[in-house]
Amino acid sequence: MQADIDAYLDYLNYQKNYSEHTVSNYKRQLRAFRDYCQRKELQVYSQVTSQSIRLLVAEAHRKGSSAPSISLMLSAIRKFFDYLIANKRAHDNPAKGVQGPKKAKRLPKNIDVDSLSQLLDQMPTDNTLAIRDKAIMELFYSSGIRLSELVGIDLTDLDLASAELRVLGKGNKERQVPIGRTASLAITTWLKERTGLQKNSDEKALFLNKNGTRFGQRGIQQRLAHWGRVLGLNDRLHPHKLRHSCATHVLESSSDLRAVQELLGHASIATTQVYTHLDFQHLAKTYDAAHPRAKKKK
């Protein structure tokens, strides 16, 4: 097996032009696989079955290997056997179809209601760009829209009389989202300032940069990070944080997961269900603080 591993690594290095880092990772994973086969007395490739690979995954998991590390190991073994089959050294790929442990979902970060309200209330409105940025932040928090959706908003998508906004989401799916009262006021103020920035009458974008053209994603990210620093936020402020905060706060108040799914434009409710973990954290903290039998002794 070692000779085949060496030949495979040479193939990756010299014919596939894989990076040194990738080849080094594959080398480490395949040597671990070789050692496992030796310990289990799997002397020929036909003795390595899907069950053998699953037992290897279980062993790695018990020893504390992370999900990404196990996925890399499976990928290395799977591609190694593809190489063996192509070179008529093996007939089957035992790693094909074997799945590693699922990666733990990272919970979205959000800002608590009081802190976020204080942050937005502190936003200055003494110049055109600050007024624009306040309207952007209020809209992110009010409607929970994505950065790409906000960038794509045209004036014709906005209906302040009905407090509604039309956005184009992932997969070119259009949806209507509500606009809160505070966000509507901030946008109304911005629209009065917008004419001062607009240089081309054909420009239909709701939010403009200082050059009078559509405000892009990178520019919005930079401005939010700027205001996070200026206003003393401990963590980096970015559009996703305002979107997550909107979803979390609506769920905490309503417990209506379907409504949050529709608000965020998630195709599957499984995507939205990550917020139920956040909601439970909120519930747990409230319970610990309020329940007479849950309070910790001092």
Side-chain angles (χ1 to χ4, degrees):
M1 182 182 289
Q2 185 58 55
D4 285 331
I5 290 174
D6 291 339
Y8 174 61
L9 295 174
D10 285 342
Y11 165 76
L12 294 182
N13 200 9
Y14 300 112
Q15 294 189 43
K16 300 293 289 184
N17 293 318
Y18 276 27
S19 70
E20 183 179 340
H21 176 70
T22 300
V23 174
S24 177
N25 280 337
Y26 274 44
K27 180 178 182 179
R28 185 176 65 254
Q29 298 294 347
L30 290 174
R31 285 187 172 177
F33 171 63
R34 177 205 62 192
D35 293 343
Y36 171 79
C37 289
Q38 289 176 348
R39 284 189 283 108
K40 299 298 181 180
E41 298 182 352
L42 304 173
Q43 298 176 354
V44 293
Y45 292 123
S46 60
Q47 292 179 320
V48 182
T49 64
S50 296
Q51 181 63 15
S52 305
I53 304 298
R54 291 190 183 93
L55 290 173
L56 172 60
V57 168
E59 180 182 285
H61 187 64
R62 284 196 307 271
K63 290 181 176 179
S65 295
S66 66
S69 177
I70 294 175
S71 295
L72 176 61
M73 177 186 68
L74 283 171
S75 177
I77 296 172
R78 196 175 296 120
K79 291 179 180 179
F80 175 56
F81 269 91
D82 284 341
Y83 168 82
L84 293 174
I85 292 169
N87 286 274
K88 303 187 185 306
R89 298 283 296 150
H91 298 289
D92 300 302
N93 192 332
K96 191 173 183 179
V98 177
Q99 296 183 345
K102 291 183 178 180
K103 296 179 182 179
K105 287 187 177 180
R106 295 180 61 185
L107 295 180
K109 293 182 178 180
N110 67 284
I111 311 172
D112 66 78
V113 176
D114 291 339
S115 297
L116 189 48
S117 295
Q118 185 178 12
L119 182 79
L120 294 172
D121 289 343
Q122 287 177 348
M123 279 287 295
T125 54
D126 55 353
N127 64 75
T128 297
L129 296 185
I131 290 171
R132 176 202 63 192
D133 295 347
K134 180 176 175 63
I136 287 173
M137 291 167 65
E138 290 282 6
L139 184 55
F140 271 132
Y141 180 47
S142 171
S143 302
I145 59 178
R146 300 178 177 94
L147 173 59
S148 59
E149 293 169 346
L150 184 135
V151 168
I153 297 172
D154 290 334
L155 292 171
T156 52
D157 296 322
L158 187 66
D159 187 351
L160 289 176
S162 300
E164 289 184 350
L165 176 67
R166 182 174 65 243
V167 295
L168 194 63
K170 288 185 176 180
N172 289 326
K173 291 182 179 179
E174 188 178 283
R175 72 182 190 282
Q176 298 287 128
V177 295
I179 307 173
R181 179 182 57 83
T182 307
S184 293
L185 292 173
I187 292 171
T188 300
T189 304
W190 155 243
L191 288 175
K192 296 174 183 177
E193 297 287 328
R194 183 185 178 279
T195 54
L197 281 181
Q198 187 173 7
K199 296 177 182 178
N200 185 342
S201 60
D202 293 332
E203 181 57 74
K204 302 302 182 184
L206 173 59
F207 294 110
L208 306 177
N209 60 27
K210 61 183 179 181
N211 297 319
T213 58
R214 188 179 298 273
F215 203 11
Q217 293 191 24
R218 183 60 181 155
I220 293 174
Q221 290 170 330
Q222 290 175 338
R223 290 298 289 177
L224 262 64
H226 162 77
W227 286 117
R229 292 191 299 269
V230 169
L231 299 175
L233 190 66
N234 292 330
D235 201 1
R236 181 179 175 83
L237 181 62
H238 51 80
H240 273 307
K241 183 164 290 187
L242 294 174
R243 172 174 161 86
H244 294 328
S245 297
C246 169
T248 304
H249 298 164
V250 169
L251 185 60
E252 286 176 354
S253 299
S254 69
S255 300
D256 192 335
L257 195 62
R258 287 287 180 186
V260 174
Q261 178 193 3
E262 187 174 345
L263 178 69
L264 297 181
H266 287 159
S268 169
I269 199 167
T271 308
T272 318
Q273 282 176 330
V274 67
Y275 292 99
T276 61
H277 298 291
L278 291 166
D279 190 39
F280 178 79
Q281 289 178 348
H282 172 77
L283 172 63
K285 288 180 180 178
T286 303
Y287 175 84
D288 287 342
H291 197 287
R293 303 288 282 184
K295 293 179 180 178
K296 295 179 180 179
K297 293 181 180 180
K298 295 183 178 179

